[in-house]
Amino acid sequence: MLNPPPDLFSYRRHWAHKFGPAPFLPMSRDEMDLLGWDSCDIIIVSGDAYVDHPSFGMAVIGRVLEAQGFRVGIIAQPDWTSAGAFTTLGRPNLYFGVTAGNMDSMVNRYTADRRLRSDDAYTPDGEGGRRPDRAVIVYAQRCREAFNDVPVIIGGIEASLRRIAHFDYWQEKVRRSVLIDAKADMLLFGNAERAIVELSHRLAGGQHITQIDDLRGTAFVRRQTPQDWTEIDSTTLDEPGRVDAHPDPYRDTARAGPAEDSTGPRRQDPADTAQVVTLHTRPKGQDRTRQVVRLPGFEAVRDDPVLYAHASRLLHLESNPGNARALVQRHGNREVWINPPPIPLRTPELDRVFELPYQRVPHPAYGGARIPAYEMIRFSVNIMRGCFGGCSFCSITEHEGRIIQNRSEQSILREIEQIRDQTPGFTGVISDLGGPTANMWRLHCKDPKIESSCRRLSCVHPGICPNLNTDQMPLVRLYRKARDLPGIKRILIASGLRYDIAVETPEYVRELVTHHVGGYLKIAPEHTESGPLSKMMKPGMGTYDRFKAMFDKYSKQAGKEQYLIPYFIAAHPGTTDEDMLNLALWLKRNGFRADQVQAFLPSPMALATAMWHSGRNPLKKIARGSETVLSAKGRRQRRIHKAFLRYHDPNNWPLLRDTLKSMGRADLIGNGKRHLIPSFQPAGTGGRPEGTRLPARKSNGKGNFRTQHTRGSRKPPQSRKRR
Ligand code: SF4
C-alpha cells in the first residue's frame, strides 16, 4: 500500500504569494512591471500558445505553482533560432520549466506518413511552423545558452514519453533518453503537480538540484547506482533468452571511450557482449523502495530489437505507482535513473487544480486570433484523468496512469456554471463532459490492496477484470444534474466511449443515447479482426454488436434516428492484407464509408511502437523465439491498407484491383452487390498521384465529419471529432 503523500496545497507558501494571483501569467517584462515583479521565480517555456485554461499543460502547472506562492512567467512558442527570446523575462530565480506542449512536437508537426503538416492547432490562427522538431531538446539548449547557471527541468508529454531510450519513427532509429540530448537537470514524467511543487519548494529552500534524487515522477542522470540500492537485472524478471548485448554496468566505460553518440548505429563494443557481472536477482527481504531494475542499456536496445521490446515491456510492467520500482538505464558512461511514477491526485486536490483562477481564454497578446485547440475545448469539461484501457497504440495510460483520478461532482458542476457565466460565445451547449475516455469516471479496482500489487497492462483486456468496479450510475447521476443546471440546454458527450464498459450498465447506455448523442455517436472498434485487435488490446466485435443492439434499442425507445460512427486504424502492427480486406468487406456490408483514414503512427513509448520496431509482442513475455509481429511498413503496403479503408474511393480502385488479384480474390472485383470494387473506372479518377490530399470539404461551421453512414441515412452527420 502507498504511503499517502502530503496534500498538494498543504505546503507553506513561498514568500512571493503576497503579490497575489496574476490576471494572466506574464509573457513580457511590461506585464511583470504591472504586477510589481522584479523577476520570475520560474519561467515555463512551451511549444503551445498560452491559453489560460485547465486543458493546457503550461496553464495548469503555472497556476499550481502560483498557488504555492511562486511568480511564474510564460515564454510561449519562442523563436528558437537564438537565445534572445529566452531572455525576455530575465533570469528565473529557481529554474526554467521546458515543455513541448500538449503534444509531442513530432506528432504535432508530421502526419503518420511523415509529411510536414501545414497547420498547428495549438498556435494562433492554426499557423504551422511555430515550433521546432523535438522542441524539448531545442528549447532546453536555448535556455542553457540564455542563462547557463539556471537549472533546466523538462516535462510534458514529449519529455515524459521519451524518458528512456526510445524508437523515433521520424528518424527510424532508437534515440537516447531525452534527458541526455536535452542536457536537462531533471525530467518530470506523467502528471507532474506533486513532483514540481515539492521540487520548487526544495529549490526555494536552498537545496541544489543535484541533491534532489528522491522524488517520484522524476528522472535524472547520475554516474552510478548509490551504494545502498540493490540492482535487479531486468532480464531475470522477464527473460529474453541469450543476452549477448547485455552490458556490464560496472565496466570502466571511460577507458572504452564515449559511447553515447546518437548520430547513427554504432556496432556493439566487444566488451559489451560478455556478461561479466552477475546482478542481484529478486532479492528477498530487502526494502523494495531501495530496489532498482536495471534495463538493458541504450547501446544494447539500439542494436538488439528483442532487448528493445523487453525494455519496453519492463517499463510498462513497472508503471503502477503501488508497486513500481525505480529503473536505471545506462547510456555510455552515464546512468539515466527513473524514479517510480507519481501517486495520483486525490479528488479534493484535483478539484483545486481545476478551480485555480484560470481566465479560460487565450492570453490577450494573441488579440482576436483563433487557436483551434482552444475552440475545440472552450465549452467542454474534463471530469477525470487516467485510463485503464491500455490500448497499445495510445500513450495516455503511460502518461496519466491506469488509476483514474476523479474530480468531484460539485467541482464539475461548478465548472459548467463558470462556462455558462464567463465563457464568451456560450449558447447553452456543453460540448463534452469527458476526459481520456468518456465513461471511466469513478471506476476503480474494488480493492486498493489488489490495485497496488497489480501488474496487468489493462483492466479491460483480454476481458474486463472481475476486480474492476464498472458501475456507471454515478456518471448517470452527474449527467442528470448537469442537464438540470439553469441555462444549460444540452450536454454532449464527445470523448471516446469504452463501449465494452458501457454495456455493463445498460442504464448508462440508455441515458447517453436518450440525452447526449447529437444524432451520431463515434466509437472506436479500431478493427474487426482478432489479429490486430489482440495487438491493440481492444475488445472483439462481439462487444461492438452488443453495444449496437443497445444503442439501436434505446434510440428507438427515445424516438430518435441515430447512428453509430465507428473508427478504424489502418496498418497497425499485426494487421495483414487479409485483415484489411475483411475490414473493408465489413464496412461495405454495414454501409460505412470512411471519409478520412487514420493510419497507425508509432509514437514514442507506446507498446505498439515496440511491436512495430522490434517485430515482437511486448504484451507477452519476450523471448528470442517468442511470437513475431509483422507490420505494414513499406509505402505501398501502407497505401494498400489505407485504400481498403476507403474502398469506395474510385482513386483507390486501380491499387485495390491489383491487390485483390495478387491475393487471389479477383472474385471481389465486379459490379454486383457481392463485389468490393467495380471493374470499371469512372473518367477522371484513379490517376491521383500517391500522397495527394483529398480536396478540403467545405466547412459547415461545425467541424468535419469523418465517416458517413449510408444505410437508411437521410442526411450526413454534421460534426465529428476524435479524441
Ligand atoms: S486487479 Fe483488475 S481491476 Fe484491479 S488494477 Fe488489476 S486489472 Fe485493474
Side-chain angles (χ1 to χ4, degrees):
M1 293 282 290
L2 295 170
N3 291 327
D7 184 281
L8 191 62
F9 296 95
S10 66
Y11 291 80
R12 185 167 175 210
R13 284 185 294 167
H14 187 58
W15 67 267
H17 73 87
K18 66 182 185 182
F19 289 102
F24 284 89
L25 302 176
M27 293 175 67
S28 66
R29 286 305 296 222
D30 287 349
E31 288 170 77
M32 287 169 61
D33 291 344
L34 280 175
L35 293 166
W37 299 4
D38 62 344
S39 58
C40 291
D41 297 312
I42 296 151
I43 294 176
I44 297 176
V45 179
S46 172
D48 292 342
Y50 170 31
V51 180
D52 198 36
H53 187 284
S55 291
F56 290 79
M58 99 287 281
V60 173
I61 293 299
R63 290 295 185 184
V64 164
L65 290 170
E66 179 187 60
Q68 305 291 329
F70 298 105
R71 291 164 294 178
V72 183
I74 302 271
I75 297 178
Q77 301 191 312
D79 172 5
W80 67 88
T81 55
S82 76
F86 295 76
T87 61
T88 317
L89 303 182
R91 182 186 183 284
N93 300 321
L94 297 180
Y95 61 87
F96 277 110
V98 171
T99 170
N102 276 12
M103 294 173 73
D104 184 283
S105 56
M106 301 304 285
V107 178
N108 176 291
R109 296 201 54 188
Y110 296 90
T111 68
D113 290 325
R114 301 189 182 102
R115 292 199 181 87
L116 190 63
R117 294 184 201 272
S118 56
D119 54 354
D120 180 342
Y122 290 87
T123 300
D125 290 328
E127 187 189 337
R130 293 287 299 275
R131 73 185 77 216
D133 287 358
R134 300 180 188 82
V136 164
I137 297 173
V138 177
Y139 291 160
Q141 287 171 348
R142 295 292 170 271
C143 289
R144 279 267 185 260
E145 289 162 27
F147 301 101
N148 75 358
D149 57 338
V150 173
V152 175
I153 313 295
I154 59 177
I157 197 128
E158 178 167 308
S160 186
L161 298 183
R162 293 174 181 264
R163 59 187 182 267
I164 62 167
H166 56 278
F167 177 70
D168 184 288
Y169 170 63
W170 300 270
Q171 283 185 316
E172 275 204 79
K173 71 174 192 181
V174 175
R175 289 184 64 100
R176 305 184 295 187
S177 163
V178 68
L179 253 175
I180 303 273
D181 285 338
K183 298 184 175 63
D185 294 282
M186 187 172 278
L187 180 156
L188 308 189
F189 60 90
N191 293 142
E193 286 95 345
R194 284 200 198 288
I196 205 159
V197 164
E198 175 84 24
L199 174 73
S200 304
H201 283 296
R202 287 206 206 167
L203 291 174
Q207 276 191 39
H208 193 269
I209 185 74
T210 53
Q211 296 173 300
I212 302 173
D213 63 2
D214 59 339
L215 296 182
R216 280 176 166 270
T218 64
F220 47 88
V221 175
R222 65 183 356 156
R223 286 285 162 190
Q224 60 187 27
T225 300
Q227 292 284 328
D228 56 339
W229 283 74
T230 306
E231 284 194 0
I232 303 169
D233 179 350
S234 67
T235 60
T236 66
L237 300 178
D238 201 65
E239 198 175 335
R242 192 169 55 90
V243 189
D244 288 345
H246 195 77
D248 166 13
Y250 303 119
R251 188 168 61 84
D252 182 354
T253 47
R255 274 189 288 129
E260 62 267 32
D261 176 15
S262 68
T263 54
R266 186 190 72 109
R267 290 324 314 158
Q268 192 70 38
D269 185 324
D272 285 347
T273 60
Q275 239 185 317
V276 294
V277 168
T278 304
L279 296 169
H280 307 274
T281 61
R282 296 178 188 265
K284 297 238 184 312
Q286 292 201 17
D287 181 3
R288 275 183 72 85
T289 63
R290 289 277 156 192
Q291 292 175 8
V292 58
V293 176
R294 174 168 291 284
L295 300 174
F298 160 68
E299 290 79 5
V301 300
R302 181 194 61 195
D303 295 343
D304 184 342
V306 173
L307 283 183
Y308 182 90
H310 160 81
S312 177
R313 175 170 166 78
L314 255 292
L315 179 101
H316 287 81
L317 290 176
E318 296 290 340
S319 62
N320 178 353
N323 59 19
R325 290 163 285 209
L327 302 172
V328 64
Q329 185 175 48
R330 198 158 182 86
H331 285 61
N333 59 357
R334 286 173 286 179
E335 304 280 20
V336 171
W337 184 280
I338 300 160
N339 279 327
I343 293 176
L345 294 184
R346 294 174 282 254
T347 294
E349 293 172 305
L350 196 59
D351 283 354
R352 280 198 69 178
V353 167
F354 274 87
E355 296 191 60
L356 291 166
Y358 306 98
Q359 297 289 337
R360 306 188 67 82
V361 291
H363 188 280
Y366 302 119
R370 211 175 149 270
I371 299 177
Y374 167 68
E375 299 297 326
M376 182 178 275
I377 54 82
R378 67 200 289 211
F379 304 129
S380 72
V381 179
N382 193 340
I383 63 174
M384 47 155 279
R385 287 180 179 172
C387 179
F388 49 70
C391 299
S392 64
F393 51 82
C394 171
S395 301
I396 287 178
T397 305
E398 282 76 55
H399 187 64
E400 298 197 354
R402 252 183 293 284
I403 298 172
I404 304 301
Q405 303 170 64
N406 306 289
R407 291 177 68 187
S408 70
E409 187 179 276
Q410 297 82 350
S411 174
I412 294 164
L413 296 176
R414 278 196 295 272
E415 184 168 345
I416 296 174
E417 290 177 317
Q418 205 179 12
I419 292 173
R420 178 195 64 196
D421 299 339
Q422 291 179 14
T423 304
F426 183 63
T427 58
V429 179
I430 293 292
S431 59
D432 189 21
L433 271 193
T437 309
N439 55 329
M440 287 190 185
W441 189 65
R442 295 234 179 133
L443 304 191
H444 53 84
C445 188
K446 69 182 183 191
D447 184 335
K449 270 193 193 155
I450 297 175
E451 182 178 70
S452 26
S453 58
C454 179
R455 283 189 191 270
R456 276 181 60 160
L457 295 171
S458 165
C459 299
V460 287
H461 187 84
I464 296 177
C465 174
N467 290 325
L468 185 68
N469 162 25
T470 58
D471 178 15
Q472 289 146 92
M473 284 311 292
L475 193 52
V476 170
R477 289 191 282 276
L478 173 67
Y479 288 176
R480 288 176 184 161
K481 286 184 183 169
R483 290 203 305 272
D484 285 347
L485 287 173
I488 300 301
K489 295 184 200 154
R490 192 106 203 256
I491 304 269
L492 295 172
I493 303 302
S495 292
L497 185 79
R498 265 320 283 219
Y499 53 87
D500 49 347
I501 301 172
V503 296
E504 296 289 303
T505 309
E507 185 64 25
Y508 172 75
V509 181
R510 180 155 63 162
E511 193 77 9
L512 179 78
V513 167
T514 308
H515 298 286
H516 302 284
V517 175
Y520 292 84
L521 178 70
K522 63 176 183 181
I523 57 171
E526 307 296 8
H527 217 285
T528 55
E529 304 307 294
S530 60
L533 285 173
S534 67
K535 303 297 179 297
M536 295 174 178
M537 289 211 283
K538 291 291 281 185
M541 287 306 276
T543 319
Y544 169 86
D545 293 337
R546 229 176 117 204
F547 178 75
K548 185 175 186 317
M550 277 191 195
F551 180 88
D552 290 345
K553 179 175 118 185
Y554 293 132
S555 291
K556 199 171 168 195
Q557 281 178 10
K560 294 183 169 183
E561 187 176 324
Q562 303 189 130
Y563 296 96
L564 283 181
I565 305 295
Y567 286 89
F568 300 95
I569 298 181
H572 189 278
T575 309
T576 62
D577 295 353
E578 286 73 21
D579 290 328
M580 290 309 299
L581 167 60
N582 289 337
L583 171 54
L585 291 170
W586 184 94
L587 287 170
K588 180 154 194 201
R589 253 194 331 271
N590 289 278
F592 289 113
R593 294 181 160 204
D595 201 25
Q596 290 181 17
V597 168
Q598 184 186 1
F600 172 68
L601 190 161
S603 58
M605 204 180 278
L607 281 161
T609 303
M611 289 179 207
W612 168 278
H613 168 62
S614 70
R616 303 292 166 143
N617 182 3
L619 306 182
K620 299 178 181 169
K621 201 170 170 67
I622 297 287
R624 298 259 167 221
S626 67
E627 177 189 4
T628 53
V629 181
L630 295 177
S631 298
K633 291 187 179 179
R635 225 172 169 185
R636 180 177 161 82
Q637 202 186 2
R638 273 174 79 84
R639 274 188 67 208
I640 289 170
H641 282 209
K642 290 196 290 182
F644 271 125
L645 267 186
R646 284 181 47 78
Y647 67 90
H648 52 280
D649 181 351
N651 286 305
N652 289 330
W653 291 348
L655 177 65
L656 288 178
R657 280 189 207 105
D658 287 350
T659 305
L660 288 171
K661 282 176 196 162
S662 66
M663 291 170 74
R665 294 306 309 269
D667 58 302
L668 293 171
I669 304 168
N671 305 321
K673 276 195 170 175
R674 66 186 177 83
H675 299 113
L676 182 66
I677 51 170
S679 50
F680 63 89
Q681 190 68 37
T685 66
R688 186 158 47 85
E690 182 186 351
T692 306
R693 289 192 171 194
L694 294 171
R697 261 176 198 281
K698 274 192 181 162
S699 169
N700 58 10
K702 297 179 181 174
N704 297 320
F705 59 86
R706 290 190 169 178
T707 306
Q708 295 179 25
H709 191 289
T710 56
R711 177 170 295 176
S713 174
R714 290 195 217 107
K715 57 184 181 182
Q718 299 226 305
S719 175
R720 292 291 102 208
K721 69 170 183 172
R722 179 136 202 235
R723 83 182 157 94

